[in-house]
């Protein structure tokens, strides 16, 4: 623990752009460094986001509501019509906590990381302007920059933001249809935005030999998981509709950071 704390302090001392992380971010980084993942309770995520912007929760309901305007993912090779999404790309220099939005561009994963849908550029609808500039997403990006730049302080970052809805009224309805996987990035932040009329959807973490390490169902809004994608794999079990007469879905924000 002392060595990890010393490493973060040294990074701050010798990197001119990197500001000292808050005690909360430092604690988060130490746990990720030790275990390669962390699950965050909703109240903890709220505290971390509020430290980035005290008024962040003023935008929360508008942020949630924007998931109702996602567009269907047209690149599902399993023929599924259950996934809806929007996508945005950002960049940040070493130690920069306010990333810059890049021109809209496709999302690409090699088939090494996504055997189902990888290997081609996939064009998704852009994140709406009021959401990309809103308090919640900006605070989440700042939190990720503060955390990941503390863990790896000398890198510039390629950042991708994904809004996902899995519609459980259409079967199958899997948040990770590619199975247990890595995303092919360095760090992944996953936060539950809404969960309506469903069961299951357990997030599991595995080591590189696919041995299970931990699992948790993100059941309440703002619960989150952070993983070191170089070191662990993750997957989410399919979600199942409870009442067939009512809408059923799982809404998640995913932010990925890749070293440049």
């Amino acid at each position: 623990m002392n060595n990890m704390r010393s490493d973060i302090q040294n990074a701050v001392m010798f990197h001119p752009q990197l500001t000292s992380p808050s005690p909360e971010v430092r604690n988060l980084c130490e746990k990720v460094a030790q275990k390669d993942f962390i699950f965050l309770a909703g109240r903890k995520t709220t505290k971390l986001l509020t430290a980035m912007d005290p008024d962040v929760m003023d935008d929360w309901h508008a942020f949630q509501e924007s998931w109702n305007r996602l567009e269907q993912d047209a690149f599902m090779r399993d023929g599924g019509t259950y996934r809806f999404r929007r996508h945005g790309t950002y960049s940040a220099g070493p130690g920069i906590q306010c990333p810059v939005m890049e021109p809209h561009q496709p999302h690409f994963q090699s088939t090494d990381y996504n055997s189902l849908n990888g290997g081609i550029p996939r064009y998704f609808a852009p994140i709406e302007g009021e959401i990309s500039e809103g308090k919640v997403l900006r605070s989440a990006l700042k939190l990720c920059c503060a955390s990941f730049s503390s863990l790896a302080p000398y890198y510039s970052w390629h950042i991708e933001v994904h809004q996902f809805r899995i519609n459980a009224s259409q079967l199958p309805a899997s948040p990770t249809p590619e199975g247990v996987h890595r995303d092919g990035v360095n760090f992944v932040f996953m936060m539950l935005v809404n969960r309506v009329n469903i069961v299951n959807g357990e997030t599991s973490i595995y080591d590189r030999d696919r041995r299970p390490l931990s699992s948790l169902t993100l059941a309440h809004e703002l619960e989150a998981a952070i993983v070191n994608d170089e070191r662990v794999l993750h997957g989410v079990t399919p979600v199942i509709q409870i009442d067939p007469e009512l809408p059923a879905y799982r809404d998640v924000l995913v932010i990925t950071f890749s070293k440049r």
Side-chain angles (χ1 to χ4, degrees):
M1 178 73 72
N2 289 336
N3 288 339
M4 178 63 196
R5 187 174 289 112
S6 176
D7 288 344
I8 294 176
Q9 289 171 340
N10 288 339
V12 171
M13 182 180 299
F14 293 109
H15 197 290
Q17 290 181 301
L18 186 62
T19 58
S20 178
S22 68
E24 291 83 6
V25 170
R26 187 189 302 274
N27 180 259
L28 184 155
C29 291
E30 289 175 352
K31 290 180 179 178
V32 173
Q34 290 167 351
K35 298 172 60 178
D36 297 318
F37 69 93
I38 189 172
F39 289 117
L40 299 173
R43 64 183 179 277
K44 181 63 174 180
T45 308
T46 301
K47 184 177 181 180
L48 289 163
L49 293 177
T50 301
M52 302 296 145
D53 183 339
D55 300 320
V56 62
M57 298 311 295
D58 292 350
D59 281 2
W60 178 249
H61 292 301
F63 186 71
Q64 283 183 307
E65 204 274 332
S66 73
W67 261 255
N68 293 325
R69 300 187 296 275
L70 305 189
E71 297 189 7
Q72 186 176 315
D73 185 338
F75 293 91
M76 299 297 294
R77 289 189 181 134
D78 64 358
T81 58
Y82 54 88
R83 186 155 76 174
F84 296 77
R85 64 196 297 178
R86 286 182 182 269
H87 171 252
T89 305
Y90 295 76
S91 62
I96 300 299
Q97 291 196 19
C98 295
V100 175
M101 181 173 246
E102 297 291 336
H104 194 56
Q105 55 194 269
H107 173 57
F108 182 86
Q109 288 175 294
S110 76
T111 53
D112 293 337
Y113 298 110
N114 191 332
S115 59
L116 176 65
N117 297 320
I120 60 170
R122 289 179 283 163
Y123 292 84
F124 302 113
I127 296 172
E128 295 172 327
E130 61 269 28
I131 301 304
S132 64
E133 295 300 323
K135 296 178 184 295
V136 178
L137 184 52
R138 299 303 298 182
S139 296
L141 285 165
K142 287 180 181 180
L143 173 61
C144 289
C145 282
S147 303
F148 304 147
S149 290
S150 293
L151 288 162
Y154 301 105
Y155 290 93
S156 294
W157 298 103
H158 173 79
I159 304 164
E160 296 193 44
V161 176
H162 305 264
Q163 293 178 281
F164 285 106
R165 167 168 287 183
I166 301 300
N167 182 351
S169 65
Q170 302 177 39
L171 298 177
S174 176
T176 55
E178 64 271 46
V180 174
H181 67 287
R182 291 174 55 216
D183 285 343
V185 298
N186 297 105
F187 297 103
V188 184
F189 171 87
M190 299 168 271
M191 182 177 73
L192 186 70
V193 174
N194 221 339
R195 181 183 169 97
V196 174
N197 190 32
I198 60 171
V199 294
N200 293 357
E202 181 181 68
T203 299
S204 296
I205 310 296
Y206 303 81
D207 68 16
R208 293 293 294 270
D209 295 319
R210 294 180 176 263
R211 294 175 297 204
L213 297 174
S214 187
S215 62
L216 179 75
T217 299
L218 301 181
H220 305 286
E221 60 188 50
L222 288 154
E223 290 182 342
I226 294 174
V227 301
N228 180 339
D229 193 61
E230 293 183 288
R231 302 276 297 171
V232 297
L233 296 83
H234 65 278
V236 183
T237 59
V239 293
I240 299 172
Q241 186 176 29
I242 298 172
D243 186 338
E245 301 301 320
L246 297 174
Y249 50 86
R250 180 181 187 265
D251 294 344
V252 174
L253 173 73
V254 175
I255 302 175
T256 65
F257 273 55
S258 301
K259 296 173 182 175
R260 293 198 303 178

